[in-house]
Amino acid sequence: MADITRRLGWRHLRGAPTAHIRHHRSGRLAHDGPGLSFWFRSLTAALSEVPVDDRELAMTFHARTADFQDVTVQATVTYRIGDPALAAARLDFSIDPDTGVWRATPLEQLGTLLTETAQEHALDVLARTPLAAALTDGVSAVRERVAAGLAAEPRLPATGIEVVAVRVVAVRPEPEVERALRTPAREQIQQEADRATYERRAVAVERERAIAENELASRIELARREERLVEQRGTNARREAEEQASADAVRADAEAARTVRLAEAEAAKAVRLAHAEAQKAREVGEARAEARAAWLRVHAEVDVATLHALAGIRLAENVPNIDSVTISPDVLTGLLAKLGGSSEAGTGAGT
């Protein structure tokens, strides 16, 4: 849409680069081209705005296949107006000089023309195609037929329209038919999924079995190693006991030899001590015997009175300490008598 401003009875138009402006003043062409900007009077001006950019026209229509099945075709046609002067002469692209808005709906007319032409060719090709083929190859077939039909349509060049591209998005059956057609595929997919599930389960079971076998083999190997370990421990213990017994025997022999040596040393020492004691006792006995013999010899040479005196002294030395002694006259008389008799007997024996 052109941008129009008003200034004191004059109008200023500023067009877009993608819009072709045609300005007729008093029946003569004053301005012609895209992206124009100029002043004009509304009472004497006739303006047309023709878009020259590429435009997309989406279309959806229903068709029937050779086996009488309804399908829906979704397509898009890209077109542009290659000859703006011819299009402005064939279609009403005039705009209001005050607002810049189209007075008619030329693009809708172009859309109707393109849609009807494309639909005619699409219906023609689908009417001779079964549903299965239309669903598998219908997109390319419809696209080629519609593109060829639009290129051969004489009304389009006569209106200044160029078809740039034709795209067919989809050819779809009715929802009930589509569900019916999906069922075998879904069943097949489900069968494939079930088979894949069973295969995964089989693989999982096989892996579990392999894991169990590996675990069992590991346990058997561990048991075998434990058995060898127990045997080795028993061998080590037996060897240690033998070594300990040998060491104990060596210690016992050493202890016995040491005890024997100590006993022999003690016996030798006891023999030496006994010999020394016997020697000492013999020497002491001999000394005592010599002393007694000397004592006897001395006493044999001494008179009786001296012996009595010595006996008294010895007796006095050996008797306990006596504080006081009471002698009765009778006892004293008897003692004196005995002493007197003994003295005489000794004198007589000496004589």
Side-chain angles (χ1 to χ4, degrees):
M1 185 178 65
D3 184 12
I4 297 177
T5 58
R6 292 180 290 181
R7 292 291 187 277
L8 300 176
W10 287 84
R11 303 290 186 269
H12 183 270
L13 182 145
R14 183 174 60 189
T18 58
H20 188 96
I21 304 297
R22 292 175 62 84
H23 173 213
H24 290 80
R25 185 172 57 232
S26 299
R28 292 179 298 179
L29 185 62
H31 299 89
D32 185 19
L36 297 180
S37 179
F38 55 88
W39 291 91
F40 67 94
R41 286 185 178 274
S42 61
L43 297 178
T44 61
L47 303 173
S48 297
E49 183 182 11
V50 181
V52 294
D53 57 339
D54 291 350
R55 292 181 174 267
E56 301 284 343
L57 177 62
M59 57 185 71
T60 301
F61 51 86
H62 297 278
R64 180 167 292 181
T65 61
D67 48 1
F68 303 101
Q69 298 296 326
D70 293 334
V71 294
T72 302
V73 180
Q74 295 178 353
T76 302
V77 176
T78 304
Y79 70 95
R80 64 169 173 263
I81 299 175
D83 191 347
L86 183 58
R90 298 295 300 273
L91 298 174
D92 186 8
F93 282 96
S94 63
I95 60 175
D96 190 338
D98 292 329
T99 61
V101 178
W102 279 317
R103 296 178 184 273
T105 57
L107 296 182
E108 292 182 4
Q109 295 177 9
L110 286 178
T112 302
L113 175 61
L114 292 172
T115 300
E116 290 178 353
T117 304
Q119 184 174 0
E120 177 184 358
H121 295 287
L123 293 177
D124 182 63
V125 69
L126 289 174
R128 293 191 296 269
T129 305
L131 178 62
L135 295 179
T136 55
D137 301 328
V139 173
S140 61
V142 171
R143 181 179 64 250
E144 293 174 359
R145 183 61 180 274
V146 170
L150 291 177
E153 178 64 32
R155 293 181 59 188
L156 298 180
T159 314
I161 300 174
E162 297 178 0
V163 177
V164 178
V166 176
R167 297 189 303 275
V168 177
V169 180
V171 178
R172 294 180 178 176
E174 294 296 322
E176 295 81 3
V177 177
E178 187 174 3
R179 284 194 295 269
L181 294 175
R182 287 178 178 177
T183 301
R186 287 183 177 178
E187 291 179 354
Q188 184 177 0
I189 293 173
Q190 186 64 37
Q191 291 176 1
E192 295 291 335
D194 294 340
R195 183 165 56 254
T197 301
Y198 296 149
E199 290 178 356
R200 286 196 300 270
R201 290 180 180 176
V203 171
V205 171
E206 183 66 22
R207 289 180 178 176
E208 291 179 357
R209 184 185 62 79
I211 292 173
E213 290 180 355
N214 292 333
E215 291 180 353
L216 181 60
S218 299
R219 292 180 180 177
I220 294 173
E221 182 64 24
L222 289 176
R224 188 179 297 111
R225 292 184 179 181
E226 288 180 359
E227 182 180 1
R228 289 200 298 268
L229 179 61
V230 170
E231 293 178 356
Q232 186 63 37
R233 285 179 177 175
T235 303
N236 294 338
R238 185 167 57 255
R239 186 178 301 171
E240 184 178 359
E242 292 175 355
E243 295 293 335
Q244 186 67 29
S246 300
D248 292 341
V250 171
R251 280 197 299 271
D253 294 341
E255 242 355 271
R258 182 172 173 273
T259 303
V260 170
R261 289 195 300 271
L262 290 177
E264 292 177 352
E266 290 293 334
K269 184 178 179 181
V271 170
R272 288 195 300 271
L273 289 176
H275 182 71
E277 288 293 334
Q279 184 66 27
K280 182 178 179 181
R282 187 170 53 254
E283 292 177 354
V284 170
E286 292 177 354
R288 287 181 179 178
E290 291 179 357
R292 180 60 59 87
W295 186 76
L296 292 175
R297 285 194 302 271
V298 171
H299 283 76
E301 295 176 356
V302 179
D303 55 1
V304 176
T306 301
L307 292 175
H308 287 168
L310 291 174
I313 293 171
R314 180 65 57 85
L315 178 63
E317 291 177 354
N318 295 321
V319 296
N321 187 16
I322 300 172
D323 293 335
S324 62
V325 179
T326 301
I327 301 173
S328 63
D330 295 333
V331 173
L332 183 58
T333 302
L335 288 175
L336 292 175
K338 289 181 179 180
L339 289 174
S342 298
S343 298
E344 291 178 357
T347 303
T351 301

